[in-house]
Amino acid sequence: MSIVKQIQSAVINSLSSNFEGIFTDKDFQINQTKPEFEGDYTIVLFSLVKSLKKSPDEIGNELGKLLLKNYPELFSSFNIIKGFLNLIITDEYWITLLQKKHNDICFGKHAMNGKKVMVEYSSPNTNKPLHLGHLRNNFLGWSVAEILKANGYEVLKSCIVNDRGIHICKSMIAWELFANGATPATTNTKGDHFVGEYYVKFNDEYKKQVGELKASGMNEADAEKNAPIMLQTQQMLQDWEAGKPEVIELWKMMNGWVYEGFDITYKMIGTDFDKSYYESETYLLGKDIVQEGLDKKVFFKKEDGSVWIDLTADGLDEKLVLRKDGTSVYITQDIGLAKQKYDQYKIDESIYVIGDEQNYHMKVLKLIAQKLGFPYANDIYHLSYGMVELPTGKMKSREGTVVDADDIVDEMISTAQNHTEALGKVKDFTAEELNILYKTIGLGAMKFYLLRVDPKKKMIFNPEESIDFHGFTGPFIQYTYARIKSILRKEKLFNPEDKHLTLLTLEKEVLFNLEQFPQIIIEAGKELSPATLANYLFHLAKTFNSFYTEHSIANAETNEKKSLRLQLANMTSIVLSSGMQLLGIQMPERM
RNA sequence: GGUCUGGUAGCUCAGCUGGAUAGAGCAUCAGCCUUCUAAGCUGAGGGUCAUUGGUUCGAAUCCAAUCCAGAUCACCA
């Protein structure tokens, strides 16, 4: 049980035994004591004043004495300042915790809770390579999945691949027109980049043709509709839907190139999935549900045959769920896929990691599921994250202002290499060890950078300023870990005979932070926020570094102190490493 | 126009279920490597928590209004 919970129940018991009434944890607040006061945890007394009809100081005094008397193993002393009861936890409590947990690699992980959850993330399009925004999505989704596992959930990571539609046909047409049979192999290009180039070529040609039509006197809207390359593309989409063999073959070949490219990127950044859905296989889903909705009168049909849902009562608009020609739209297949996921895996919760530009769409999806009375409707959760923008504004693939995922990862890794070489600490590493180290540090910096901020906030990325390796960063935490490991390679953990020890301020501070780890995992799980965890890990590393510079571990004053500090260092390394693991960040043994 | 986000130090961000003098990192300045890795540590300067009003013993945090920025409201996905 966490220390805060123990304090909570101790306070509740003491209040109940001494005062009239029933008390719960809602009646008072427990905070960490501010550094300028003496104490570890603070009870805020003001909220009790009314019900107990006493002054804060009186309550604090009575409560403090009771706590000390009834829980001598927990509290060693107290003081009251201006209505705040500051409690000092006994050194024995912290030392016992350290002795029990200092080598527990499962510290912070929670027991299985029997719940199953699916986390869908990544959702790439197969017409262009992944960019910086995808990286945020991937890191977030992967990390949230791991955090939920640590909270005891059974987690399925899933991915919906956007592998069909007009945008895919654009790349295909451009390839037919301009490639002359070139392939990734003949041009020595990564498959997804290769296909992406033809997507760009499409847009160039399209723009050119629209310009020509306008020059010949056509208005803009008609020009956009009648550009030959656009007409060809639309024809291709129809051919694809009709299953025309040569179109399907081309589609399969080009998607195959893209998948080869994606596999390389995913492997590089450490992303994986338990289940991949392909839109080409799911886009017809949901049509039967539309009929069901019509029968239930949740949906209605307009004169032209299109099917709608009226959400004006919920503050939204009317939304189309089936076109007049009977084909499905985006939301139709999402309704179908939501149901399929639930039926197939009996999941208790379905989390969608999707950008905040789709807030409206996801709201509609959930509302429709609710109105149709689906049992899983309330368990659909949209983890909405903000866009990654450049100082100049949004990234636009058509304008070539996209920060490519592979490029930025490569850049981070070579920056890591430069930093490492400049420091010259690992000259004895083999070439392969060095490559692993550069990758560990570069990717660690990248992931930490994207995960340390609140997911729902949009973030600005400046490609001119390289991502830092100092301060609130991944490498800072990795470095703290490597320093600990360096000591632990030379000095082994041991258990001296139990002796009464007192803790120095910094020793206690580190322990104080370590104790919170399980609670932080719970919080991060509840909020679906890797940022919570990242902030905690940074704070822990920072506290440890202060301790490290101030006190020697190997040359501690006594044997007992040396053992205690070794245990402290060991436990810190375990918490840092399992915490970073949940963010998808590896830890180097040396750096 | 409707709906939804966000606005905290020069920059990037914590803090938001109300609590003590609002915290980090970067950048700037001043110190610390003959002792466990200086990718580190210690210190300084830097704030009208967008604005105004309200609720309260107490508001960056809750409520209302206003201003600013962004997203979205497609028979695109």
Side-chain angles (χ1 to χ4, degrees):
Chain A
M1 195 169 35
S2 76
I3 180 81
V4 172
K5 289 245 168 70
Q6 289 184 53
I7 297 172
Q8 233 165 40
S9 82
V11 170
I12 290 171
N13 287 341
S14 302
L15 286 172
S16 310
S17 70
N18 207 51
F19 300 98
E20 291 283 317
I22 298 158
F23 299 92
T24 70
D25 54 356
K26 302 268 184 292
D27 293 317
F28 56 92
Q29 232 180 78
I30 302 178
N31 296 339
Q32 286 178 33
T33 305
K34 299 246 165 195
E36 56 268 36
F37 302 100
E38 195 203 348
D40 298 312
Y41 282 97
T42 296
I43 316 284
V44 183
L45 299 165
F46 295 101
S47 49
L48 292 163
V49 169
K50 240 179 209 165
S51 61
L52 300 184
K53 299 191 175 66
K54 289 188 173 187
S55 77
D57 284 9
E58 281 177 281
I59 299 168
N61 238 314
E62 287 182 44
L63 186 56
K65 280 182 191 155
L66 277 170
L67 289 173
L68 233 59
K69 189 178 124 216
N70 296 335
Y71 302 89
E73 74 289 349
L74 209 52
F75 305 107
S76 63
S77 65
F78 71 93
N79 62 75
I80 298 155
I81 298 166
K82 291 199 299 186
F84 296 89
L85 171 61
N86 300 322
L87 298 166
I88 291 112
I89 307 297
T90 60
D91 284 356
E92 284 72 20
Y93 175 84
W94 300 116
I95 292 170
T96 308
L97 174 82
L98 181 65
Q99 275 165 355
K100 265 196 225 154
K101 302 288 185 186
H102 73 272
N103 212 11
D104 178 2
I105 54 166
C106 291
F107 181 65
K109 307 256 162 87
H110 299 274
M112 297 302 283
N113 63 13
K115 292 247 174 85
K116 198 190 259 189
V117 50
M118 180 175 277
V119 181
E120 179 193 287
Y121 66 103
S122 201
S123 347
N125 287 348
T126 58
N127 64 336
K128 53 183 180 221
L130 303 176
H131 57 68
L132 186 54
H134 288 112
L135 289 182
R136 188 178 199 192
N137 181 306
N138 275 291
F139 297 158
L140 249 181
W142 197 92
S143 177
V144 161
E146 293 302 313
I147 288 170
L148 288 172
K149 282 184 197 169
N151 275 285
Y153 288 86
E154 185 185 340
V155 181
L156 286 164
K157 296 173 187 162
S158 76
C159 175
I160 170 95
V161 183
N162 206 318
D163 65 341
R164 63 163 284 280
I166 191 83
H167 51 295
I168 312 293
C169 293
K170 288 178 181 175
S171 304
M172 287 160 64
I173 283 287
W175 185 82
E176 278 196 330
L177 289 175
F178 308 118
N180 262 328
T183 68
T186 63
T187 55
N188 198 19
T189 312
K190 192 161 166 281
D192 49 339
H193 290 245
F194 180 84
V195 172
E197 281 169 22
Y198 287 92
Y199 186 67
V200 173
K201 285 201 170 98
F202 170 91
N203 282 304
D204 293 346
E205 180 64 19
Y206 177 55
K207 224 184 271 171
K208 198 174 112 199
Q209 292 185 3
V210 170
E212 283 164 8
L213 289 176
K214 272 163 74 182
S216 69
M218 200 182 270
N219 69 45
E220 179 149 4
D222 283 342
E224 282 174 1
K225 241 180 259 168
N226 291 307
I229 196 168
M230 184 55 91
L231 295 176
Q232 283 171 293
T233 307
Q234 274 156 359
Q235 181 59 46
M236 183 175 265
L237 182 60
Q238 281 173 29
D239 290 343
W240 183 91
E241 291 194 2
K244 197 175 172 188
E246 59 264 39
V247 173
I248 298 290
E249 204 175 312
L250 174 65
W251 171 74
K252 278 189 180 159
M253 179 175 75
M254 290 186 71
N255 273 355
W257 294 338
V258 172
Y259 294 143
E260 279 173 27
F262 283 174
D263 282 348
I264 293 169
T265 305
Y266 282 142
K267 200 171 170 210
M268 177 58 114
I269 64 176
T271 287
D272 60 349
F273 305 101
D274 302 301
K275 167 77 189 167
S276 288
Y277 293 99
Y278 296 88
E279 208 188 292
S280 55
E281 293 165 4
T282 63
Y283 81 108
L284 296 175
L285 286 176
K287 285 193 182 185
D288 47 336
I289 298 178
V290 171
Q291 190 52 51
E292 195 184 327
L294 278 169
D295 296 344
K296 285 187 184 166
K297 300 210 160 36
V298 173
F299 301 150
F300 67 94
K301 203 173 239 177
K302 287 197 177 173
E303 281 170 12
D304 64 3
S306 57
V307 182
W308 297 73
I309 183 166
D310 183 2
L311 297 172
T312 46
D314 300 280
L316 306 178
D317 303 302
E318 286 187 352
K319 183 89 185 171
L320 177 93
V321 293
L322 206 62
R323 292 191 188 105
K324 66 181 171 210
D325 62 7
T327 58
S328 49
V329 289
Y330 185 29
I331 194 87
T332 324
Q333 66 158 316
D334 267 2
I335 299 166
L337 186 54
K339 180 174 158 56
Q340 185 178 316
K341 284 177 176 178
Y342 177 78
D343 290 344
Q344 209 172 4
Y345 292 107
K346 305 282 170 243
I347 48 178
D348 298 287
E349 227 174 295
S350 200
I351 295 172
Y352 294 76
V353 183
I354 308 180
D356 61 7
E357 55 194 359
Q358 300 210 33
N359 285 353
Y360 184 81
H361 174 80
M362 291 306 294
K363 210 165 163 183
V364 170
L365 175 65
K366 186 164 181 164
L367 259 174
I368 290 179
Q370 283 169 338
K371 287 186 188 291
L372 287 169
F374 291 149
Y376 52 86
N378 292 323
D379 302 315
I380 291 175
Y381 183 83
H382 176 203
L383 174 50
S384 161
Y385 67 92
M387 297 288 101
V388 183
E389 293 180 6
L390 303 172
T392 47
K394 254 187 126 171
M395 297 193 286
K396 295 208 177 88
S397 51
R398 263 166 286 169
E399 292 169 21
T401 55
V402 175
V403 177
D404 181 81
D406 295 318
D407 291 351
I408 187 77
V409 167
D410 285 349
E411 203 182 306
M412 290 307 299
I413 291 173
S414 67
T415 310
Q417 177 171 358
N418 294 340
H419 277 258
T420 307
E421 282 170 356
L423 290 168
K425 293 179 187 175
V426 286
K427 290 188 171 137
D428 57 324
F429 272 38
T430 65
E432 192 185 343
E433 284 171 332
L434 282 173
N435 279 333
I436 292 172
L437 180 65
Y438 300 151
K439 194 180 146 185
T440 303
I441 296 172
L443 269 177
M446 185 80 220
K447 289 189 182 183
F448 199 86
Y449 179 83
L450 289 176
L451 289 176
R452 67 178 206 194
V453 299
D454 185 339
K456 70 170 176 289
K457 289 196 176 173
K458 75 166 186 218
M459 57 190 299
I460 294 169
F461 175 81
N462 190 345
E464 304 300 314
E465 298 166 16
S466 61
I467 294 174
D468 228 297
F469 282 57
H470 302 270
F472 185 16
T473 67
F476 173 91
I477 296 170
Q478 291 173 323
Y479 177 69
T480 308
Y481 176 84
R483 282 212 296 202
I484 294 174
K485 281 300 181 178
S486 166
I487 297 172
L488 293 174
R489 272 191 298 274
K490 292 170 207 154
E491 305 283 346
K492 294 290 160 242
L493 293 169
F494 65 98
N495 259 320
E497 288 138 55
D498 271 347
K499 239 188 118 184
H500 186 77
L501 278 172
T502 53
L503 292 171
L504 296 169
T505 311
L506 282 167
E507 293 167 339
K508 182 153 120 180
E509 239 173 86
V510 175
L511 263 168
F512 185 90
N513 276 285
L514 287 171
E515 193 275 336
Q516 296 173 331
F517 186 50
Q519 210 51 39
I520 294 291
I521 288 183
I522 292 175
E523 209 177 299
K526 236 186 249 167
E527 308 284 325
L528 301 179
S529 170
T532 303
L533 187 56
N535 276 285
Y536 164 80
L537 293 171
F538 171 65
H539 196 254
L540 173 63
K542 180 126 187 76
T543 309
F544 184 86
N545 282 334
S546 296
F547 158 76
Y548 175 95
T549 22
E550 199 67 33
H551 305 291
S552 176
I553 295 169
N555 301 313
E557 300 85 272
T558 65
N559 222 27
E560 286 77 19
K561 271 284 175 188
K562 182 170 171 179
S563 160
L564 178 119
R565 287 181 190 167
L566 279 170
Q567 291 179 346
L568 197 56
N570 192 61
M571 190 168 170
T572 304
S573 75
I574 288 172
V575 169
L576 288 179
S577 153
S578 31
M580 289 290 262
Q581 180 63 42
L582 298 180
L583 299 178
I585 299 173
Q586 306 295 315
M587 294 296 235
E589 297 298 303
R590 287 179 57 193
M591 68 184 275

